[in-house]
Amino acid sequence: MKSLLLSSALAAGMYIAVAAGTASHAQAADLTLCWAAWDPANALVELSKDFEAKSGNKMHYEFVPWPNFADRMLNELNSGGKLCDLLIGDSQWIGGAAENKQYVKLNDFFDKEGIKMDDFIPATVVGYAEWPKNSPNYWAMPAFGDVVGWTYRKDWFSRPELQAEFKKKYSRDLAVPKSWDELIDIARFFQGREIDGKKVYGAAIYTERGSEGVTMGAMNALYSYGFEYQNPKKPYELDGFVNSPDAVAGLEEYKKLYDCCTPPGHSDAYMTQDVDAYKSGQVALQMNFTFTWPGINADANVGGDKSGYFPNPAGPKGVQFAQLGGQGISVVAASDKQQEALDYIKWFSQPEIQQKWWKLGGYSALRAVVEDPSFASSQPYAKPFLDSMAIVKDFWAEPAYASLLQASQKRFHDYVVANQGSAKNALDGLVKDWQGVFEDDGKY
């Protein structure tokens, strides 16, 4: 799943329309690729110049700011519009797009061209390409791997005086946390501390109510504490899984982190707000999707050796999962240029193109790239990215995902941020909400 909200700070270049490439021939086509407006999209424009030169087709781009991306693209799909020939859509759209026949099913194409889903990170195939989940029915090819992880002030952690004080208090080294309890200890240690003459805080986390932020944040604690979306043996059986004692403890843990250790006014924060808090030197820890890591690494204030990266930590029983982000690339069924769009996917699937994609700032999901011996040392965040992608779970990808998400947003925000009721009440209420959605959707 990926964000439905991203402010203009990360969505620079809110709308981009690019037509490039000099090659031409009689059968050349103009193709439009639709995605969100963010740095990876700009990298894809650069990468795609190779496709234009080799194919003779001309690429155009509709890049929409994250706050408007879902509404704009889902309206386009639902209306049968012909704007997009190719769409890099969010993972949670797969169910609706497949069942409503808005994406082209790619199985025959993959078989013909020798494109094997086994060649991609397994979690990205399940998350971005398959519907129904865990079935060999493919509606996209993994395009951009992403997952929630953590950034930390490595330079602060390494200060001898802070190391000594932390070890005296907690009887362990100030280091990357292995568990959520350790993470909260670290956040508490930095909360309200003065560093270099400036008051700092523990952690910037997701709390946003309007789209998906607090859900994308809280799930990282819930997963690692043992939350399940449903009975693994009986689909859509929710009671006792969504609201299990372990799930309740996970939601309580997330609220504990919010209450103790966030910056002032951090009650409606998502990706941009977390990046801003971290880059401005306000916090020791930042929760965010890994697409932010290249920008952190390159930042003049906190980049280079000043920052480190680590996967979402484990819960008390050693369970460790993280919220999946990222997208797959699909051919839009309403397009009149499906063959040329398929040609683009064939080109994009090539290992040498995927390697260039990584170098330009795209997170390739191709195993030939990420399992190359040189990958882990290619960037300081490369290995933490791999480790994070190995522990992912995703939100519902059901056609009714929007209603499911609205329910979790309200329940989680009311409890975590607005301090209403208990974690048990929140999750019991969420069970009822989700059961109602599935009943309306004919699942019972």
Side-chain angles (χ1 to χ4, degrees):
M1 189 169 197
K2 194 58 177 178
S3 74
L4 304 178
L5 177 68
L6 189 61
S7 79
S8 57
L10 283 179
M14 292 173 61
Y15 167 83
I16 301 174
V18 181
T22 57
S24 64
H25 55 76
Q27 301 301 316
D30 286 352
L31 287 174
T32 298
L33 185 153
C34 298
W35 200 10
W38 58 335
D39 288 345
N42 298 331
L44 188 62
V45 172
E46 183 63 28
L47 180 72
S48 297
K49 291 177 181 178
D50 178 84
F51 172 76
E52 293 178 308
K54 291 177 178 176
S55 70
N57 297 318
K58 293 184 178 182
M59 296 298 297
H60 301 266
Y61 304 94
E62 181 84 4
F63 294 159
V64 181
W66 277 112
N68 310 110
F69 178 57
D71 285 345
R72 176 73 181 279
M73 291 300 115
L74 292 177
N75 285 338
E76 185 69 21
L77 290 175
N78 292 334
S79 68
K82 296 181 179 294
L83 170 65
C84 309
D85 302 298
L86 293 151
L87 174 59
I88 302 182
D90 276 347
S91 58
Q92 68 269 25
W93 302 356
I94 285 287
E99 294 194 6
N100 295 319
K101 299 181 180 180
Q102 294 164 340
Y103 288 167
V104 173
K105 191 174 182 181
L106 298 177
N107 289 59
D108 290 345
F109 166 71
F110 287 163
D111 290 343
K112 177 184 176 183
E113 299 298 342
I115 298 172
K116 300 176 181 178
M117 289 296 96
D118 288 345
D119 291 341
F120 293 85
I121 300 171
T124 67
V125 177
V126 175
Y128 310 155
E130 290 181 353
W131 188 261
K133 296 299 181 185
N134 300 304
S135 75
N137 296 281
Y138 307 118
W139 307 88
M141 187 182 78
F144 188 86
D146 206 359
V147 55
V148 173
W150 293 83
T151 318
Y152 73 102
R153 286 300 298 266
K154 190 175 180 181
D155 54 341
W156 294 358
F157 277 44
S158 65
R159 294 190 179 193
E161 70 278 12
L162 296 182
Q163 282 275 350
E165 183 182 343
F166 186 89
K167 190 160 190 175
K168 182 178 180 180
K169 184 172 184 178
Y170 293 103
S171 300
R172 68 174 188 273
D173 290 335
L174 177 55
V176 168
K178 297 178 181 178
S179 70
W180 265 83
D181 282 347
E182 289 185 4
L183 186 149
I184 290 180
D185 285 345
I186 292 169
R188 278 201 178 107
F189 179 76
F190 281 100
Q191 184 75 3
R193 180 175 295 275
E194 186 173 296
I195 294 181
D196 297 333
K198 180 180 179 179
K199 188 174 183 179
V200 303
Y201 303 93
I205 64 173
Y206 292 166
T207 59
E208 179 265 348
R209 168 69 175 86
S211 64
E212 64 174 16
V214 70
T215 299
M216 294 295 96
M219 293 316 304
N220 295 282
L222 286 161
Y223 291 149
S224 290
Y225 268 71
F227 169 96
E228 295 282 356
Y229 281 102
Q230 58 190 335
N231 184 344
K233 299 180 180 179
K234 188 175 181 181
Y236 308 110
E237 182 178 306
L238 312 179
D239 196 22
F241 297 90
V242 170
N243 57 348
S244 68
D246 288 339
V248 169
L251 189 55
E252 289 172 342
E253 187 82 345
Y254 196 71
K255 179 172 176 55
K256 187 188 302 181
L257 181 58
Y258 172 73
D259 286 343
C260 79
C261 307
T262 51
H266 208 72
S267 59
D268 192 31
Y270 199 14
M271 292 178 287
T272 299
Q273 291 78 16
D274 281 14
V275 166
D276 290 346
Y278 188 80
K279 284 187 175 182
S280 63
Q282 293 183 57
V283 293
L285 300 163
Q286 178 212 188
M287 161 188 279
N288 226 322
F289 283 103
T290 59
F291 85 87
T292 62
W293 289 357
I296 295 293
N297 187 57
D299 187 77
N301 295 322
V302 299
D305 292 338
K306 293 181 179 179
S307 289
Y309 314 89
F310 63 91
N312 190 54
K317 297 181 180 179
V319 177
Q320 185 179 18
F321 290 103
Q323 175 60 50
L324 180 68
Q327 303 91 28
I329 184 169
S330 299
V331 176
V332 177
S335 169
D336 295 327
K337 303 166 187 173
Q338 291 184 13
Q339 184 55 55
E340 291 84 358
L342 291 169
D343 290 343
Y344 183 92
I345 291 181
K346 178 182 177 181
W347 165 83
F348 189 59
S349 72
Q350 298 174 91
E352 62 269 27
I353 299 301
Q354 288 289 307
Q355 185 65 50
K356 291 179 182 177
W357 180 221
W358 166 248
K359 290 180 179 178
L360 286 171
Y363 278 94
S364 174
L366 190 69
R367 294 174 63 184
V369 174
V370 301
E371 294 177 2
D372 186 283
S374 65
F375 181 85
S377 59
S378 63
Q379 296 288 353
Y381 46 81
K383 188 176 186 306
F385 167 71
L386 283 182
D387 293 342
S388 297
M389 289 300 299
I391 59 170
V392 295
K393 283 192 176 187
D394 199 11
F395 191 77
W396 296 105
E398 297 281 333
Y401 90 92
S403 296
L404 299 166
L405 180 60
Q406 288 170 0
S408 63
Q409 281 291 100
K410 183 180 188 307
R411 295 291 182 179
F412 291 163
H413 195 274
D414 283 353
Y415 169 66
V416 173
V417 178
N419 202 32
Q420 296 178 13
S422 67
K424 180 68 162 59
N425 290 339
L427 293 175
D428 286 346
L430 188 58
V431 167
K432 293 178 181 178
D433 294 340
W434 283 358
Q435 286 174 336
V437 172
F438 288 131
E439 186 173 354
D440 291 343
D441 212 30
K443 302 298 185 183
Y444 298 126

